């Protein structure tokens, strides 16, 4: 069922299910039926179900919702009902209107799967774009969309930045100040056992806030490598990103760690908000390696070890100091 999708979505770098770009953790499959009626200029996307989605251990929840938005305008959007379970069945219709037949080729629908959490709010788990050029008029097309996990979407070569329909997540830089959302950090790790080079890329953050004043924070990241007894082996920090709740750092730091030391070291990453020359406050922190701050951090470190030198990127929720 997804062959037509692959043909028409060549704009997406490599189709994720070709193995050339193995998803770090596949986020699942989403079944959708598209129906287009040229007479009414309406496109109906019926979201059927999601399968192979992250289990409860990974996402922390068992309740799901799909959001769809018509690209590139982002003016028309819709969402499904919230459904529970490992295979949430939505069976919900999302209608996009005023779409002329000749416009189909320049539009796409972006689907995002959210894990819905009562307290924390919703967390985007994965997404996929479907190009409407592959829709012929007056008949149904059923497709299975392979959702790219959010941890893959950050890198500059993600399919979305290559796609004809660009998307920018810094478009509303003040957005995170007004609504909730926990501070998160996207980190890339790689380790070369031959050279003993541990490369840590500070990629970007989201939902960083000033605790006291309602304006976007000036933040920087501090990295510290400690040995098994907690002594500092080396430290470094990023430059400051000013006035950004969702800062992009894109800075890589290299630590020398021999293979026999790798199980003993702890990498501590903390994000600081610089209030003035003298004052700073911690936005949050994580640690990986010997003393990991949580399961996500532990499994990211393990994945780095298993991936033999290729970079593994993952989002981490920052812990409050």
């Amino acid at each position: 069922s997804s062959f037509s999708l692959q043909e028409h979505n060549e704009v997406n770098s490599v189709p994720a299910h070709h193995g050339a770009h193995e998803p770090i953790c596949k986020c699942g499959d989403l079944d959708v039926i598209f129906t287009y009626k040229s007479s009414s200029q309406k496109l109906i996307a019926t979201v059927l179900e999601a399968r192979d989605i992250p289990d409860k251990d990974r996402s922390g929840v068992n309740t799901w919702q799909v959001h769809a938005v018509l690209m590139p305008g982002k003016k028309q959007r819709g969402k499904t009902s919230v459904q529970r379970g490992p295979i949430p069945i939505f069976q919900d219709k999302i209608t996009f209107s005023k779409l002329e037949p000749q416009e189909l080729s320049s539009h796409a629908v972006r689907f995002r799967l959210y894990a819905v959490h009562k307290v924390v709010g919703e967390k985007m788990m994965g997404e996929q774009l479907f190009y409407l050029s592959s829709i012929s008029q007056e008949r149904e097309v059923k497709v299975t969309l392979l959702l790219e996990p959010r941890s893959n979407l950050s890198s500059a070569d993600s399919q979305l930045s290559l796609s004809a329909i660009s998307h920018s997540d810094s478009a509303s830089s003040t957005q995170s100040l007004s609504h909730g959302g926990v501070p998160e950090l996207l980190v890339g790790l790689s380790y070369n056992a031959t050279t003993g080079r541990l490369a840590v890329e500070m990629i970007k953050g989201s939902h960083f806030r000033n605790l006291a004043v309602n304006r976007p924070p000036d933040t920087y990241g501090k990295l510290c490598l400690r040995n098994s007894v907690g002594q500092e082996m080396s430290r470094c920090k990023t430059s400051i990103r000013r006035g950004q709740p969702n800062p992009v750092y894109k800075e890589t730091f290299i630590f020398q760690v021999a293979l026999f030391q790798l199980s003993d070291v702890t990498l501590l990453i903390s994000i600081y908000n610089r209030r003035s020359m003298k004052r700073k406050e911690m936005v949050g922190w994580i640690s990986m390696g010997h003393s990991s701050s949580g399961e996500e951090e532990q499994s990211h470190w393990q994945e780095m070890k298993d991936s033999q030198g290729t970079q593994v990127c993952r989002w981490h929720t920052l812990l409050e100091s």
Side-chain angles (χ1 to χ4, degrees):
S1 60
S2 61
F3 73 95
S4 60
L5 184 67
Q6 256 163 275
E7 291 169 7
H8 291 281
N9 278 9
E10 283 132 349
V11 196
N12 298 0
S13 50
V14 188
H17 32 324
H18 267 195
H21 170 62
E22 281 299 333
I24 290 170
C25 44
K26 183 184 150 187
C27 185
D29 292 319
L30 186 66
D31 285 347
V32 184
I33 293 175
F34 290 96
T35 317
Y36 178 70
K37 295 194 169 65
S38 53
S39 53
S40 59
Q41 297 189 356
K42 281 195 170 120
L43 172 72
I44 296 165
T46 309
V47 181
L48 301 174
E49 63 176 41
R51 297 183 310 279
D52 290 338
I53 54 181
D55 56 17
K56 193 167 181 212
D57 296 343
R58 176 160 228 137
S59 58
V61 298
N62 211 9
T63 32
W64 309 92
Q65 187 175 38
V66 174
H67 294 201
V69 57
L70 185 65
M71 310 287 276
K74 293 192 183 177
K75 295 276 188 291
Q76 295 192 54
R77 49 181 72 229
K79 47 175 91 166
T80 65
S81 52
V82 175
Q83 298 295 338
R84 299 185 69 82
I87 303 180
I89 295 174
F90 301 103
Q91 304 280 358
D92 291 309
K93 287 183 165 44
I94 296 171
T95 305
F96 302 101
S97 53
K98 299 199 179 86
L99 258 182
E100 295 176 21
Q102 64 271 23
E103 286 184 299
L104 289 176
S105 58
S106 61
H107 285 69
V109 177
R110 185 187 69 198
F111 291 91
R112 284 182 164 175
L113 177 68
Y114 283 87
V116 183
H117 198 290
K118 278 196 197 69
V119 187
V120 191
E122 49 190 30
K123 179 170 179 178
M124 202 271 279
M125 301 302 288
E127 70 177 43
Q128 186 55 273
L129 270 178
F130 180 74
Y131 291 86
L132 300 179
S133 49
S134 46
I135 293 209
S136 62
Q137 296 162 42
E138 314 308 335
R139 71 180 181 87
E140 290 192 344
V141 181
K142 182 180 175 191
V143 295
T144 298
L145 298 173
L146 185 122
L147 297 169
E148 272 273 314
R150 57 177 295 177
S151 47
N152 290 7
L153 291 169
S154 57
S155 53
D157 59 11
S158 92
Q159 58 177 54
L160 293 187
S161 45
L162 278 182
S163 74
I165 295 164
S166 65
H167 93 151
S168 148
D169 59 3
S170 59
S172 53
S173 57
T174 52
Q175 189 181 16
S176 331
L177 293 174
S178 49
H179 68 77
V182 289
E184 290 183 290
L185 181 67
L186 183 65
V187 180
L189 297 178
S190 64
Y191 180 72
N192 184 323
T194 320
T195 59
R197 280 162 66 97
L198 167 65
V200 183
E201 186 182 4
M202 297 280 284
I203 303 174
K204 63 180 176 181
S206 76
H207 297 109
F208 289 177
R209 290 189 291 280
N210 254 326
L211 300 177
V213 285
N214 198 17
R215 65 159 193 265
D218 300 341
T219 60
Y220 63 92
K222 200 162 123 187
L223 295 82
C224 174
L225 195 69
R226 298 197 164 138
N227 66 14
S228 54
V229 291
Q231 289 167 323
E232 199 172 283
M233 296 160 66
S234 75
R235 58 161 23 165
C236 38
K237 58 184 185 191
T238 70
S239 46
I240 293 179
R241 297 293 180 273
R242 296 186 194 282
Q244 293 177 34
N246 305 308
V248 176
Y249 297 103
K250 285 260 169 107
E251 292 183 40
T252 301
F253 301 90
I254 307 289
F255 300 94
Q256 280 306 133
V257 183
L259 183 57
F260 69 87
Q261 281 181 301
L262 194 61
S263 332
D264 296 334
V265 298
T266 300
L267 173 70
L268 177 68
I269 300 178
S270 29
I271 299 291
Y272 287 94
N273 168 21
R274 191 166 122 174
R275 297 286 298 281
S276 64
M277 287 307 282
K278 293 200 170 64
R279 295 179 57 208
K280 63 177 191 210
E281 64 192 6
M282 191 189 276
V283 177
W285 64 279
I286 54 163
S287 63
M288 293 190 258
H290 182 266
S291 311
S292 283
S293 53
E295 283 175 30
E296 273 291 315
E297 290 69 39
Q298 208 164 346
S299 68
H300 190 179
W301 190 261
Q302 189 55 49
E303 247 178 274
M304 168 195 79
K305 287 176 164 180
D306 297 341
S307 70
Q308 300 172 344
T310 50
Q311 190 190 45
V312 181
C313 304
R314 270 210 199 173
W315 283 96
H316 295 274
T317 303
L318 296 178
L319 299 169
E320 289 171 30
S321 51

